[in-house]
Amino acid sequence: MKYIYDMHQMMLKNNIILVYEGEFTQEITKSVLAMAERNMDSIGEESGIKRKVFNVMVECLQNIVKHGEEYISGEKQINTAIFMIGKHKDSYIITSGNPIRNDLVENLREKLDMINSLDKEGLKSLYKDIIKSGTGLTEKGGAGLGFVDMARKSGQKLEYGFEPLKGDHSFFSLKTTVPRG
Amino acid sequence: MEIINLEGTEDTPKIILDKTNKIFEISGRSLPEDSAEFYQPILDWLAEYAKDPLPETIFDFKLEYFNTASSKLILDVLTSLEDITNAKVHWYFYEEDEDMEEAGEEFSELVDVEFELMPY
């Protein structure tokens, strides 16, 4: 039974206020958003910060709904991801992790590095370039703007990493920091 | 013309398109699972309306939040207003919501429609 205590201690130590592990759907997204909103309301979080956190959470969660991949681990088919929010004195940390296909890793890395190389004005013009490119939504219904928006709303660099999984997948971890005040 | 009157939900905006009563409004939150599917009836309605519009059309946007997939469709809605003679956008935003204000400014630079930013 000690794992329960350990888990709790780990969450307290990292100031994690919400963890969800499992399948990601639009219904789950709405529930997670509602819980996080209630949590921020209960401590009287400033509305500007709340809006930014909400914004980053939506893009992060809907990214997983759209792009999370199933992969085979041993005998089991796994189609799960993780989403966490940490609340610190000076910031909220929104993190996610999900499997993606290895052949998509380089492209994703380049995209994130490019976004991280831009300043506020650069991000703004990238956003406008993508939205007016007129290519419509991707086959998965995204606008290709999610990461750009997360970088703009947070005003911080997007931190990321890839862990190799068995077979032809990697685990993609993403961390966005929203400063408080 | 038929009236479109959609109640807002936690992930879709309230939408009223009512030619008779001169109400054209999108408000609330927009983060639907499939934004293209959600906005298609709105775009169809506006294309029909453009054939025989009122002398003046004021379209109210009073969004509290929209996701990036919706932003593309909102741009499509705004672009379809270009085809409506004498159409004008009132872009409402909560006065402290700089992001929503900036979103209005950016949209206004992307389409050829008269825009008024309306803090509340």
Side-chain angles (χ1 to χ4, degrees):
Chain A
M1 295 301 275
K2 188 161 179 294
Y3 74 95
I4 300 172
Y5 172 78
D6 289 343
M7 178 88 183
H8 189 218
Q9 286 299 308
M10 191 275 287
M11 286 181 69
L12 289 176
K13 206 177 114 204
N14 292 288
N15 296 301
I16 293 168
I17 56 169
L18 196 152
V19 183
Y20 173 79
E21 194 281 330
E23 200 181 346
F24 280 68
T25 63
Q26 176 77 357
E27 290 309 308
I28 296 291
T29 295
K30 287 194 277 184
S31 308
V32 170
L33 290 170
M35 275 189 278
E37 272 196 294
R38 229 168 291 148
N39 188 298
M40 288 189 285
D41 282 339
S42 71
I43 59 152
E45 185 57 80
E46 191 198 309
S47 64
I49 309 294
K50 239 165 48 183
R51 277 195 300 273
K52 286 189 193 296
V53 172
F54 186 85
N55 219 298
V56 171
M57 284 196 299
V58 172
E59 296 303 329
C60 193
L61 290 161
Q62 290 190 326
N63 260 344
I64 306 174
V65 174
K66 291 194 177 94
H67 302 289
E69 291 266 350
E70 292 186 1
Y71 77 104
I72 314 288
S73 166
E75 299 285 287
K76 276 195 299 183
Q77 178 122 340
I78 299 183
N79 177 20
T80 63
I82 188 164
F83 177 83
M84 291 185 278
I85 304 173
K87 182 172 67 190
H88 301 262
K89 218 182 260 165
D90 54 358
S91 63
Y92 283 92
I93 311 279
I94 296 115
T95 46
S96 63
N98 57 283
I100 69 159
R101 289 204 325 264
N102 283 339
D103 59 326
L104 301 173
V105 169
E106 263 331 289
N107 198 301
L108 184 52
R109 193 191 292 277
E110 277 170 25
K111 187 168 182 179
L112 289 162
D113 286 345
M114 193 264 286
I115 289 169
N116 282 339
S117 74
L118 299 172
D119 61 6
K120 196 166 181 276
E121 284 307 307
L123 288 168
K124 181 180 169 143
S125 64
L126 176 62
Y127 186 93
K128 285 172 83 171
D129 286 347
I130 298 174
I131 197 171
K132 73 179 175 198
S133 65
T135 48
L137 300 180
T138 64
E139 80 270 22
K140 290 190 171 170
L145 291 165
F147 293 131
V148 184
D149 194 55
M150 288 162 76
R152 289 188 77 189
K153 296 288 156 54
S154 67
Q156 307 294 310
K157 302 294 173 202
L158 304 174
E159 295 174 57
Y160 68 89
F162 296 97
E163 300 292 330
L165 295 168
K166 277 186 189 148
D168 53 3
H169 283 80
S170 293
F171 192 76
F172 168 51
S173 305
L174 181 67
K175 176 177 165 187
T176 309
T177 303
V178 176
R180 295 174 79 183
Chain B
M1 264 189 98
E2 64 163 319
I3 294 168
I4 290 187
N5 189 345
L6 302 175
E7 282 293 319
T9 69
E10 56 187 332
D11 62 350
T12 58
K14 172 180 169 167
I15 300 186
I16 304 175
L17 298 175
D18 181 344
K19 186 179 175 185
T20 312
N21 293 303
K22 302 178 185 170
I23 303 173
F24 310 89
E25 183 190 307
I26 296 184
S27 60
R29 287 182 171 188
S30 182
L31 56 138
E33 177 155 34
D34 187 337
S35 54
E37 184 185 82
F38 179 80
Y39 280 96
Q40 194 54 53
I42 310 308
L43 295 168
D44 293 343
W45 192 96
L46 288 169
E48 189 60 33
Y49 174 77
K51 294 176 189 166
D52 180 25
L54 295 169
E56 186 187 48
T57 305
I58 293 178
F59 205 114
D60 291 329
F61 283 83
K62 206 169 185 177
L63 289 160
E64 178 197 326
Y65 170 76
F66 60 88
N67 67 350
T68 55
S70 297
S71 68
K72 192 97 187 169
L73 276 299
I74 290 169
L75 181 62
D76 289 345
V77 169
L78 291 166
T79 304
S80 67
L81 298 181
E82 290 178 345
D83 300 329
I84 297 170
T85 318
N86 251 331
K88 189 175 172 182
V89 171
H90 282 177
W91 183 271
Y92 290 86
F93 62 95
Y94 173 57
E95 62 178 353
E96 283 174 25
D97 191 349
E98 288 164 17
D99 291 327
M100 195 53 79
E101 180 179 9
E102 195 175 1
E105 282 166 8
E106 284 171 17
F107 279 129
S108 75
E109 291 161 19
L110 290 167
V111 291
D112 188 18
V113 177
E114 200 183 329
F115 245 79
E116 202 167 329
L117 296 174
M118 319 273 284
Y120 65 91

